[in-house]
Amino acid sequence: MTEYIGVDLAWGLGTDRKPANETGLVAMRADGTITDAGWARGVDAVTTWIAEHLGSRSLIAVDASLVVTNPSGIREAERQVGQRYGRWKVAANPTNLASAASAGARLLERLTDLGVGYVSSTAAMRERTGPAAFECYPYTTLVGVEELGYDDERPRYKRLDLKVPAAEARARRAEAFDELVRRLRSTPLDPPLQLDSHPLTAELAGPSGIHGPSHKHREDLLDGALCAWTAAFWERHGDERVQILGGDPCLPTDPLDEAGRQPVVVAPARPSQRRPRG
């Protein structure tokens, strides 16, 4: 039975003339075995893939804004990403009701129709009686899990460094990607993540090229694996090693949506990345 599903969702909905970008998808068991992996385009195709892998208590981690209630500006969860992870050069893209990138909200609608709940606290996650989804952000996982060793800065495996020549930036990005995969494959993790257990994720261990579309294709799948592993990490460690950004009642929060859901980001955290108590 699939227990964890990771979705690196393309935020744009796409059109008939221009399809949505690829979404990386990974299904994983509690022992870290990846049971399926791949890509899909568009919310409908992503929903179909998820539906085919749902178990009775599957936990679905989505890298996209699922619940958005602020008319403008930035969500409080996104603001807290920058406040607590900014030292590691991690920040979140702002989303609001005027944003064109609304695939996350559309996906949550589709999942709700499938009987998938939404969880925004560790208690709700642990007490779920059916499949449930939540929002995550892989960068917070990479710098929030100390074992991975990103103590000073996030790995630059995504965007190019515009401060250096393009060719050098692409080479550095490929190197950062390969180093990240090496750490994920060689670091003893709790819970485990076995990238080599599926042919597609095992291929991520091969050397990266500098071709942009090819790199993005691989990156989407890796982020899908990181999302699935974040779900497993949350269930394994709970509030001891994970914080709920945007969900602290002592801080500003965004309004609930019509279904009573709170906009939050579930983020692994070192002690130094947490809000001081008192």
Side-chain angles (χ1 to χ4, degrees):
M1 178 182 296
T2 295
E3 298 183 62
Y4 306 107
I5 297 174
V7 182
D8 181 39
L9 187 67
W11 285 27
L13 294 171
T15 65
D16 291 339
R17 298 184 63 181
K18 185 179 180 181
N21 291 335
E22 286 186 325
T23 288
L25 298 160
V26 169
M28 190 182 84
R29 295 192 185 119
D31 65 358
T33 300
I34 294 175
T35 57
D36 201 3
W39 299 265
R41 289 184 185 271
V43 170
D44 289 344
V46 170
T47 303
T48 298
W49 194 95
I50 294 172
E52 292 171 350
H53 296 81
L54 274 181
S56 60
R57 294 185 78 250
S58 294
L59 193 57
I60 306 164
V62 183
D63 178 13
S65 302
L66 297 181
V67 179
V68 181
T69 59
N70 51 313
S72 60
I74 187 171
R75 296 184 300 163
E76 290 301 325
E78 294 157 352
R79 191 187 317 278
Q80 290 174 22
V81 169
Q83 290 170 341
R84 304 189 193 183
Y85 298 85
R87 171 184 153 191
W88 285 263
K89 297 185 179 179
V90 172
N93 292 322
T95 50
N96 54 61
L97 291 174
S99 299
S102 57
R106 184 77 60 87
L107 177 62
L108 186 58
E109 291 176 3
R110 298 284 195 275
L111 294 179
T112 300
D113 292 341
L114 291 176
V116 176
Y118 170 81
V119 287
S120 57
S121 71
T122 296
M125 179 271 292
R126 291 262 166 85
E127 294 166 5
R128 71 190 187 279
T129 57
F134 69 94
E135 180 179 338
C136 70
Y137 184 27
Y139 267 144
T140 66
T141 298
L142 293 176
V143 303
V145 176
E146 293 176 277
E147 291 90 331
L148 291 173
Y150 291 107
D151 300 328
D152 302 313
E153 183 180 339
R154 77 198 193 299
R156 289 183 172 271
Y157 71 107
K158 290 177 175 284
R159 297 183 180 91
L160 296 174
D161 185 351
L162 300 180
K163 298 178 181 177
V164 300
E168 181 180 350
R170 293 188 184 96
R172 288 186 183 183
R173 181 177 64 181
E175 181 180 349
F177 185 97
D178 293 347
E179 172 60 16
L180 170 56
V181 172
R182 186 196 67 77
R183 294 189 192 195
L184 291 171
R185 294 176 69 233
S186 63
T187 303
L189 297 172
D190 178 24
L193 171 58
Q194 300 184 43
L195 291 177
D196 293 343
S197 61
H198 188 277
L200 289 179
T201 51
E203 288 179 1
L204 297 174
S208 293
I210 63 173
H211 180 246
S214 299
H215 181 92
K216 186 67 168 62
H217 187 66
R218 286 160 56 84
E219 176 210 304
D220 290 338
L221 192 65
L222 180 60
D223 278 355
L226 287 169
C227 289
W229 186 69
T230 299
F233 190 88
W234 188 22
E235 184 144 63
R236 171 68 180 86
H237 296 287
D239 291 333
E240 181 181 351
R241 298 194 62 184
V242 170
Q243 61 182 335
I244 312 299
L245 303 175
D248 189 335
C250 298
L251 294 174
T253 58
D254 289 313
L256 306 182
D257 69 3
E258 293 181 354
R261 298 174 297 202
Q262 187 170 34
V264 303
V265 173
V266 175
R270 305 166 184 246
S272 62
Q273 292 164 340
R274 294 179 179 270
R275 173 175 175 263
R277 296 181 179 180

